[in-house]
């Protein structure tokens, strides 16, 4: 999990959990191993509310992409740390509102690339590339990215639920600054990451994830805000993404596996769990 920078490995490790496969299990997916399922259960035993937070982030992704395509008229999407294909993937949502929308998915997990190829077969306006998103300039210059994304026109860069996988603050800030510089006025950056209000809670959450072998940093909401580039957050600003333009009528997520059922809804049952969240929003480059 703590692979050095450089070309991502194509070896598929099934003896350590990966964020992509753990997230897949949390979303009701089947593309995961026993080690990932056990890690999700362990995280939720130690950090009740984790499952709800992951699922709330995915529901936010739908609302953010719908806003960008339907309301902001964006027709190009660069999805950094895209995760495994599931239902209501970015290209499904974007193309529902902008049928000619182009989408490039970027992830460093080889399983995402393998499954992404199946996704590509269904859509020639969509590509998946395997890369480390902290090598941001290389991604922006990548030929396949350039084929689908024209940076002289408004684009939405999605960086959702991946900032916590980049523990070094300077690396994350530089990555986001590079993106903000590269996009033209009228473009957007959507961002979310695991965060808490209280610093002690952030340290506890980070300890649980790193204890499972993951490269991880839960930040405070204040730290996240300070790392984001100087762009204009659209209403309602930077917030617990569960509260970002909530829509009870949006398409639901697939149901979870039986062992996860006891963890569904626990966040709403205890006010203290509201301290932990996926924190973020959608920012406009004016
Ligand atoms: C929790 S998933 C989020 C998926 C999706 N963005 C969403 O919000 O629904 C995080 C993804 O980021 C990927 N990831 C983590 N660090 C990365 C890096 N440095 N470069 C590329 N992908 C990365 C993981 O492999 C995983 O698929």
């Amino acid at each position: 999990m703590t692979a050095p920078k450089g070309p991502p490995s194509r070896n598929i490790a099934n003896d350590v959990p990966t964020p992509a496969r753990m997230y897949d299990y949390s979303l009701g997916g089947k593309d995961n191993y026993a080690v990932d399922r056990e890690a999700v259960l362990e995280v939720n035993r130690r950090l009740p509310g984790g499952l709800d937070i992951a699922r709330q982030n995915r529901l936010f992704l739908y609302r953010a992409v719908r806003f960008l395509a339907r309301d902001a008229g964006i027709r190009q999407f660069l999805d950094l740390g895209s995760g495994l294909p599931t239902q209501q993937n970015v290209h499904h949502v974007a193309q529902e509102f902008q049928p000619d929308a182009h989408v490039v998915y970027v992830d460093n997990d080889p399983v995402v690339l393998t499954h992404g190829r199946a996704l590509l077969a269904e859509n020639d306006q969509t590509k998946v590339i395997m890369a480390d998103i902290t090598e941001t300039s290389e991604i922006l210059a990548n030929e396949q990215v350039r084929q689908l994304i024209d940076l002289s026109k408004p684009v939405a860069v999605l960086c959702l639920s991946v900032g916590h996988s980049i523990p070094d603050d300077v690396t994350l800030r530089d990555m986001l600054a590079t993106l903000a510089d590269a996009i033209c006025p009228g473009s957007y950056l959507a961002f979310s990451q695991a965060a808490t209000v209280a610093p002690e809670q952030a340290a506890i959450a980070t300890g649980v994830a790193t204890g499972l072998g993951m490269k991880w940093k839960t930040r405070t909401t204040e730290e996240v805000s300070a790392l984001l580039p100087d762009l204009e957050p659209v209403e309602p600003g930077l917030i617990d993404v569960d509260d970002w333009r909530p829509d009870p009528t949006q398409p639901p997520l697939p149901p979870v596996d039986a062992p996860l059922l006891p963890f569904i809804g626990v966040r709403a049952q205890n006010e203290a769990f509201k301290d932990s969240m996926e924190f973020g929003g959608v920012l406009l480059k004016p």
Side-chain angles (χ1 to χ4, degrees):
M1 294 302 299
T2 49
K5 269 189 157 190
S9 162
R10 280 162 195 264
N11 297 329
I12 294 176
N14 58 10
D15 54 350
V16 284
T18 73
R21 299 189 315 240
M22 287 175 67
Y23 189 61
D24 174 72
Y25 185 54
S26 303
L27 298 183
K30 305 275 179 254
D31 300 319
N32 45 71
Y33 298 116
V35 70
D36 307 303
R37 297 190 281 276
E38 184 44 46
V40 171
L41 286 163
E42 181 59 15
V43 167
N44 280 280
R45 282 182 212 116
R46 309 230 350 232
L47 302 170
L51 182 67
D52 290 334
I53 289 169
R55 292 173 69 81
Q56 287 163 358
N57 178 75
R58 189 68 193 190
L59 292 168
F60 163 65
L61 176 147
Y62 175 90
R63 299 193 301 278
V65 175
R66 180 179 63 183
F67 161 77
L68 291 161
R70 183 189 67 187
D71 306 333
I74 296 291
R75 291 159 51 217
Q76 313 187 88
F77 292 80
L78 180 60
D79 186 6
L80 302 177
S82 52
L84 280 157
T86 174
Q87 292 176 20
Q88 300 290 348
N89 295 297
V90 169
H91 74 284
H92 295 126
V93 185
Q95 288 164 6
E96 183 182 342
F97 301 104
Q98 296 286 350
D100 62 348
H102 289 183
V103 178
V104 178
Y105 294 107
V106 184
D107 206 285
N108 66 352
D109 188 320
V111 179
V112 174
L113 190 75
T114 311
H115 288 264
R117 291 208 173 113
L119 186 86
L120 280 179
E122 69 181 71
N123 196 311
D124 62 7
Q125 292 160 217
T126 306
K127 282 191 197 304
V128 184
I129 66 165
M130 187 167 157
D132 185 325
I133 61 171
T134 62
E135 304 199 338
T136 319
S137 300
E138 285 86 338
I139 291 172
L140 294 171
N142 180 290
E143 202 182 318
Q144 289 184 289
V145 174
R146 291 292 184 153
Q147 276 167 11
L148 285 188
I149 307 270
D150 176 355
L151 290 173
S152 69
K153 300 201 174 112
V155 59
V157 178
L158 311 178
C159 201
L160 300 179
S161 196
V162 65
H164 44 243
S165 293
I166 303 169
D168 184 67
D169 289 350
V170 175
T171 304
L172 179 59
R173 194 186 53 216
D174 287 355
M175 178 188 113
L176 295 172
T178 302
L179 292 165
D181 278 353
I183 57 181
C184 69
S187 297
Y188 291 83
L189 171 69
F191 183 89
S192 64
Q193 84 139 77
T196 64
V197 178
E200 314 79 61
Q201 291 305 317
I204 291 169
T206 300
V208 171
T210 55
L212 288 165
M214 298 168 71
K215 198 173 156 189
W216 191 275
K217 184 173 182 182
T218 295
R219 295 183 169 87
T220 64
T221 53
E222 206 174 321
E223 287 169 335
V224 174
S225 300
L227 287 175
L228 289 171
D230 189 20
L231 302 175
E232 281 180 9
V234 304
E235 286 298 321
L238 298 171
I239 194 168
D240 178 344
V241 298
D242 194 38
D243 296 328
W244 197 92
R245 305 189 184 204
D247 175 6
T249 68
Q250 75 177 97
L253 298 176
V256 291
D257 202 13
L260 289 181
L261 283 174
F263 298 108
I264 288 283
V266 301
R267 194 172 178 228
Q269 289 158 17
N270 188 331
E271 200 50 36
F273 298 154
K274 286 298 259 182
D275 182 79
S276 301
M277 67 195 82
E278 284 270 353
F279 177 75
V282 177
L283 302 97
L284 166 69
K285 179 161 176 173

